[in-house]
Amino acid sequence: MEKNYDLIIRNGSLVCSDKVIKADVAVVDGLIAEIAPEISGNAKEVIDAQGKYVFPGATDGHVHFNEPGRSDWETIKNGTSALAAGGAIAYFDMPLNCSPCTLDAKNFNAKLEVSKRDALVDYGFWGGFTPKNLDKLEELAECGVIGFKAFSCHSGIDEFERADDYTALVGMEKLAKLGLPLMVHCENAEITKELTAAAIANNKTTARDYFAARPPIVEIENVARMITFAEHTGCKLIIAHISTAKAIELVTEARKRGVDVYCETISHYLIMTGDDVERLGTVAKCSPAIRDAQNQLKMWAKLQNGEIDFVSSDHSPCDPKLKDGEFMLVWGGISACQTTLSGLLTHAYHNRKVPLTEIAKLTAQNVNEIFKIKGKGKIEVGYEGDFAIVDLKHKYTLNAEDLFYKHQVSPFVGDEFCGQVVQTILRGTTVFKDGKIVSKPIGRLLKPTL
């Protein structure tokens, strides 16, 4: 008796956890039902992926889609369109820069309503972690947040206050009991504040002045401090958008001691240097600052050694007017969620021979395992049928009109990439194909399995 499937992808090279295999993959009711060299049977849809590579759909663990409240910066509809175009089938949205911030159940539910209406791909939410909402951590956990986000320095949003040392220590004790992780933006508040104020007072407002006001030590010191608190409390800790090789070393050493700590980096720390930022201008301003070429080489070595756990985009757009002005004074955020996978295929696989299996782990498997999202991140029977079909050899130049962001700006416009996403599939349904969004919003809320 012939089997019936909803979808069969034939003739592709499947990028699995430990190897790349030439095989077919079939989906039934949103789940991978069979993987075999040649699957017999009927399907409602058959995709011929001859010559293409089939990756597990990516999960972006760090985006700012800004709804509700700042839809003039970015929207969930635009942001999830960009993710799908880049091969992502899920994202975890930060508790800022939406307004109000996601600091309690009421604001969680307000964001959820917009996402139910507009999200083309699956989504999870970070809960805020500030001095003003330590009494709301439990209710946010009950809502299903995937973890909590804190800033050691000023967040850029006044209503999202930085977590001082007391807040960090007491809050981590609570999160250890809840079994949920804390992600921290690690930059020393006092040093960054005073160096920035001194620079502005002396009319030092260029890109180089900005780098000097946020030197590597502000990250390194604060990473060490947060690791100390995590080791004391038993809280699971994730260092956000790590930018220095030395800070990665601190994470690696702590993990060897048994500390439950992980590090995320962002593609622009691997692709750009300070020289690039100086050339590009404010479109490439972010925090922590992008470092020099020597640090970047060391970052790549850390990635190749397996010391970086996952790579996200830290997609942090704004109204372009907020990027007008002197470098030190403008908004610090980069629009990048459409290019993470292609960027890694170009710079990690093609340029540095990082195995495709490792790229799949960095963009899909590890992030879902760290956050205990069941059934996502692998091409394996029983997992959800989430795929990014990639033409690995196709070279293209990113044009502004290719971007699905609300504002078609990015420091990567004009860059050449090698490895283009041609189709993105969420639970067996094609969301993006050949440059176009072809699905209605079908995203679902993701919650950790505790």
Side-chain angles (χ1 to χ4, degrees):
M1 182 177 177
E2 280 196 330
K3 297 179 181 178
N4 294 306
Y5 303 98
D6 295 323
L7 170 68
I8 298 176
I9 303 174
R10 297 195 183 278
N11 305 316
S13 296
L14 307 186
V15 183
C16 301
S17 294
D18 57 350
K19 58 187 174 181
V20 178
I21 59 173
K22 190 71 180 289
D24 297 348
V25 56
V27 177
V28 175
D29 294 332
L31 302 178
I32 297 173
E34 187 175 353
I35 297 171
E38 188 173 344
I39 294 175
S40 61
N42 301 311
K44 297 174 184 176
E45 181 181 8
V46 176
I47 297 171
D48 185 1
Q50 183 69 43
K52 308 293 193 304
Y53 286 76
V54 183
F55 286 78
T59 295
D60 194 327
H62 191 148
V63 302
H64 299 263
F65 284 164
N66 305 339
E67 281 196 301
R70 288 191 174 92
S71 56
D72 53 329
W73 290 20
E74 183 65 289
T75 68
I76 289 171
K77 181 178 181 180
N78 286 104
T80 57
S81 296
L83 283 172
I89 50 75
Y91 66 97
F92 301 155
D93 198 23
M94 285 293 163
L96 73 166
N97 305 315
C98 51
S99 183
C101 299
T102 313
L103 298 175
D104 55 30
K106 178 182 177 182
N107 295 332
F108 177 99
N109 289 323
K111 180 182 284 191
L112 179 61
E113 288 307 307
V114 181
S115 304
K116 285 179 178 178
R117 184 190 70 207
D118 290 342
L120 286 151
V121 300
D122 290 348
Y123 47 89
F125 296 148
W126 288 95
F129 182 101
T130 77
K132 296 292 179 63
N133 79 321
L134 286 178
D135 61 337
K136 303 295 183 181
L137 303 183
E138 289 85 359
E139 73 176 55
L140 282 165
E142 290 177 9
C143 289
V145 295
I146 53 92
F148 291 84
K149 173 67 181 295
F151 279 74
S152 291
C153 59
H154 187 265
S155 71
I157 301 294
D158 289 339
E159 65 187 280
F160 197 94
E161 295 183 26
R162 79 173 189 91
D164 54 36
D165 287 349
Y166 172 81
T167 299
L169 181 61
V170 173
M172 282 191 190
E173 289 172 346
K174 287 192 171 194
L175 296 192
K177 294 176 182 177
L178 291 172
L180 287 168
L182 177 67
M183 176 182 270
V184 183
H185 177 129
C186 288
E187 289 186 281
N188 181 288
E190 287 74 18
I191 298 174
T192 56
K193 179 181 178 182
E194 295 301 326
L195 287 178
T196 299
I200 293 171
N202 288 284
N203 295 315
K204 294 183 176 181
T205 57
T206 68
R208 291 291 169 186
D209 296 324
Y210 176 72
F211 301 157
R214 303 185 95 98
I217 188 60
V218 302
E219 176 179 86
I220 295 163
E221 181 279 333
N222 200 250
V223 167
R225 183 183 301 198
M226 292 302 116
I227 287 173
T228 301
F229 290 158
E231 190 165 16
H232 174 73
T233 61
C235 178
K236 185 175 188 175
L237 175 67
I238 299 158
I239 306 301
H241 44 52
I242 210 158
S243 70
T244 61
K246 179 61 179 178
I248 297 173
E249 288 177 14
L250 296 175
V251 172
T252 300
E253 291 165 2
R255 193 179 298 171
K256 289 177 181 177
R257 299 197 305 271
V259 184
D260 196 10
V261 58
Y262 304 85
C263 64
E264 166 207 61
T265 198
I266 308 299
S267 54
H268 43 254
Y269 296 117
L270 298 168
I271 296 173
M272 292 191 290
T273 66
D275 290 343
D276 296 316
V277 175
E278 195 170 28
R279 171 177 55 85
L280 291 163
T282 59
V283 70
K285 181 183 177 181
C286 63
S287 177
I290 291 171
R291 311 298 180 181
D292 61 25
Q294 184 179 12
N295 176 74
Q296 187 189 75
L297 285 173
K298 293 178 180 178
M299 292 278 289
W300 276 111
K302 297 298 184 186
L303 182 144
Q304 290 170 302
N305 288 340
E307 295 179 66
I308 293 172
D309 296 295
F310 61 103
V311 178
S312 306
S313 71
D314 192 8
H315 180 72
S316 185
C318 65
D319 184 325
K321 294 176 183 177
L322 297 177
K323 287 284 192 178
D324 292 340
E326 296 175 87
F327 196 97
M328 184 75 80
L329 305 177
V330 303
W331 174 260
I334 287 175
S335 297
C337 71
Q338 192 169 321
T339 49
T340 303
L341 180 56
S342 287
L344 285 175
L345 293 175
T346 303
H347 295 275
Y349 173 71
H350 286 293
N351 293 354
R352 292 175 175 83
K353 310 304 179 188
V354 175
L356 296 178
T357 51
E358 291 304 309
I359 292 173
K361 289 176 181 177
L362 289 166
T363 58
Q365 180 179 334
N366 291 354
V367 64
N368 283 289
E369 290 181 351
I370 289 168
F371 291 96
K372 299 181 180 180
I373 305 299
K374 187 177 180 181
K376 283 194 175 292
K378 293 184 185 180
I379 298 179
E380 189 173 298
V381 172
Y383 276 66
E384 295 190 354
D386 302 331
F387 311 104
I389 301 177
V390 173
D391 185 341
L392 199 57
K393 296 180 180 178
H394 182 78
K395 293 182 179 180
Y396 70 98
T397 298
L398 183 69
N399 298 310
E401 55 266 29
D402 300 328
L403 296 171
F404 284 86
Y405 312 145
K406 184 176 181 67
H407 304 288
Q408 293 176 308
V409 294
S410 171
F412 300 119
V413 168
D415 285 3
E416 183 178 82
F417 292 87
C418 188
Q420 184 166 44
V421 176
V422 296
Q423 192 163 348
T424 303
I425 298 164
L426 171 60
R427 297 190 305 276
T429 296
T430 295
V431 178
F432 169 84
K433 184 178 181 181
D434 296 334
K436 297 180 180 179
I437 298 298
V438 295
S439 168
K440 64 181 182 181
I442 58 171
R444 296 177 182 172
L445 177 65
L446 301 175
K447 297 182 179 182
T449 304
L450 300 177

